[in-house]
Amino acid sequence: MTTELIKISGLMQNFDDFVRAGELLREGKVVAIPTETVYGLAANAFDPNAIEKIFKAKGRPSDNPLIVHISDFSDLSKLVSEIPESAITLAENFWPGALTMIMKKSDKVPDEVTAGLSTVAIRFPSHKYARAIIDAAGVPLAAPSANLSGKPSPTSADHVFRDMKGRIPMIIDGGDCEIGLESTVIDLTGDIPTLLRPGGVTLKQLRSVLGEVAVNPKILEEVSDDEKVASPGMKYKHYAPSAPVTIIDGSSESFANYVKNNINGRKVAILCFEEEKELFADADITVVSYGKLLDGVSLAHSLFGALRQFDEISPDIIFAREPETTDGIELAVVNRLSRAAGFSRISV
Ligand code: TXA
Ligand code: MG
């Protein structure tokens, strides 16, 4: 299959391309689309055959459900069997945006989308091209992140092209994703709203409008093989470069000393803060920085692109630095990096 990569300059300039993307989606094809979080691999949420093509293109385990994307709040009533009060509050404050809400599904949502669960994940993205494509398709779009399963989520059309070339007919290139990591996932089906995946909308923001929000402990812990999880995505290794990643906790100086004393003849690369780069000026180590220590927004924006760079460097091992865990965007950065590292962490 040839994969067409379409660079968008504007809604009007590329009007025909949006119409074509909509046609492909209505025909049951898969189209990669930009969103404000990461790129998505979209298909008609009501078409089980189209949904199967997403799982195939990604190599995704069929027990990991997809998020359904809408372009108007009114689309929600078709997809869920009841709308909790908390969903209305969250929608008023954070939709359109980087928030995914889990609710009880309606009969119209095929089991292929929800991996057989009785609940469905819904997001109303803010990205104007994502919304234009949903409008052009005329149906809600199920879309996971547009990476091969296990790889870091794509934050540019180039990332998508590398993973999906030959696997899907069309990629819509809307430039770099503003946030750079995935949406926040909150479960609204229990008594207390529960955070299942930290993301673009922070825990602090959620608590500021809902009051009590529980945090699923598996956000920052490894899940054992036989454990039951609230969100199937928690079970899988994610966001990982090919080389093993180990997170190093401690001061910048002890980090630099540890790395320099543990090269052991290996090709070593590090993922660090901007401020730490100079500590390695004299060492035979590949240095990738992903933002400033105290600027969580920049770290979130650049993390996945930085993780992808390591697959071109092909080191034997990657030592990585993470920010302090807070109720801000840093929680999402630590969650993604912990998974990329398979929870391997050393304190120095
Ligand atoms: O920002 C995003 O959320 C991006 C863009 C494309 O919208 N999408 C995304 O999708 O990250 P994906 O499939 O890579 O991650 C969806 C996560 C998975 O961890 C999945 O297990 C969880 O949401 N999920 C989906 N439906 C669920 C449900 N009914 N109950 C619990 N977890 C669910
Ligand atoms: Mg994903």
Side-chain angles (χ1 to χ4, degrees):
M1 183 188 304
T2 46
T3 301
E4 203 182 343
L5 180 61
I6 297 172
K7 173 94 195 129
I8 303 294
S9 358
L11 284 176
M12 294 318 290
Q13 292 91 321
N14 293 88
F15 185 82
D16 293 345
D17 295 313
F18 287 104
V19 171
R20 254 182 346 114
E23 278 165 6
L24 283 177
L25 288 160
R26 271 199 306 281
E27 285 165 16
K29 307 262 168 52
V30 175
V31 175
I33 65 168
T35 85
E36 70 278 20
T37 56
V38 300
Y39 275 75
L41 208 53
N44 178 355
F46 294 136
D47 179 348
N49 286 325
I51 300 304
E52 258 171 51
K53 289 181 194 159
I54 294 180
F55 281 90
K56 206 165 158 226
K58 260 186 89 90
R60 182 176 176 110
S62 59
D63 67 347
N64 197 1
L66 308 179
I67 295 172
V68 178
H69 297 71
I70 58 176
S71 57
D72 195 286
F73 187 75
S74 64
D75 297 337
L76 189 58
S77 52
K78 285 178 256 171
L79 300 164
V80 302
S81 61
E82 60 188 80
I83 303 180
E85 197 64 39
S86 53
I88 295 170
T89 306
L90 289 172
E92 278 168 356
N93 284 279
F94 305 117
W95 271 5
L99 180 69
T100 296
M101 302 187 213
I102 312 276
M103 288 173 257
K104 293 197 178 110
K105 86 176 196 66
S106 76
D107 295 340
K108 283 189 87 174
V109 181
D111 286 338
E112 286 78 3
V113 170
T114 63
L117 296 177
S118 59
T119 57
V120 61
I122 317 268
R123 181 159 98 85
F124 178 177
S126 66
H127 198 290
K128 62 180 176 186
Y129 301 156
R131 291 162 67 172
I133 296 163
I134 303 168
D135 284 341
V139 285
L141 298 178
S145 50
N147 50 289
L148 285 173
S149 205
K151 286 284 153 200
S153 298
T155 57
S156 73
D158 180 55
H159 296 160
V160 181
F161 192 71
R162 280 162 192 256
D163 281 14
M164 291 299 148
K165 183 170 181 260
R167 292 170 172 262
I168 59 171
M170 186 186 274
I171 299 169
I172 299 290
D173 180 355
D176 284 354
C177 300
E178 187 189 339
I179 296 175
L181 45 76
E182 303 87 343
S183 63
T184 302
V185 179
I186 188 165
D187 183 355
L188 303 178
T189 61
D191 292 339
I192 300 166
T194 303
L195 181 68
L196 299 184
R197 179 177 74 179
V201 171
T202 64
L203 183 56
K204 187 175 181 170
Q205 287 176 302
L206 295 172
R207 286 185 169 148
S208 75
V209 300
L210 289 182
E212 192 177 8
V213 176
V215 177
N216 188 295
K218 294 301 162 192
I219 282 176
L220 296 177
E221 284 169 22
E222 190 162 18
V223 174
S224 57
D225 285 349
D226 50 0
E227 209 167 329
K228 198 174 174 310
V229 286
S231 182
M234 291 170 170
K235 281 190 303 196
Y236 298 106
K237 190 167 164 137
H238 270 324
Y239 320 116
S242 305
V245 181
T246 295
I247 296 168
I248 307 294
D249 286 332
S251 70
S252 295
E253 288 69 29
S254 17
F255 163 60
N257 284 336
Y258 176 86
V259 171
K260 288 177 193 173
N261 291 328
N262 284 277
I263 295 178
N264 300 337
R266 294 175 297 183
K267 183 170 175 190
V268 173
I270 60 166
L271 177 67
C272 67
F273 305 120
E274 196 62 39
E275 296 90 333
E276 295 176 330
K277 279 164 78 173
E278 60 180 28
L279 297 172
F280 296 88
D282 59 343
D284 184 19
I285 287 168
T286 308
V287 178
V288 176
S289 81
Y290 70 118
K292 294 215 171 86
L293 168 61
L294 297 176
D295 184 358
V297 171
S298 79
L299 296 171
H301 177 79
S302 305
L303 176 65
F304 287 149
L307 286 173
R308 277 180 178 262
Q309 272 184 46
F310 290 111
D311 283 346
E312 276 138 58
I313 300 163
S314 305
D316 297 317
I317 178 136
I318 301 159
F319 294 116
R321 299 284 282 164
E322 65 180 14
E324 204 72 48
T325 306
T326 65
D327 57 4
I329 191 82
E330 293 79 10
L331 183 62
V333 174
V334 173
N335 165 271
R336 304 306 191 277
L337 202 49
S338 301
R339 284 169 181 278
F343 296 90
S344 155
R345 185 179 262 107
I346 295 175
S347 291
V348 294

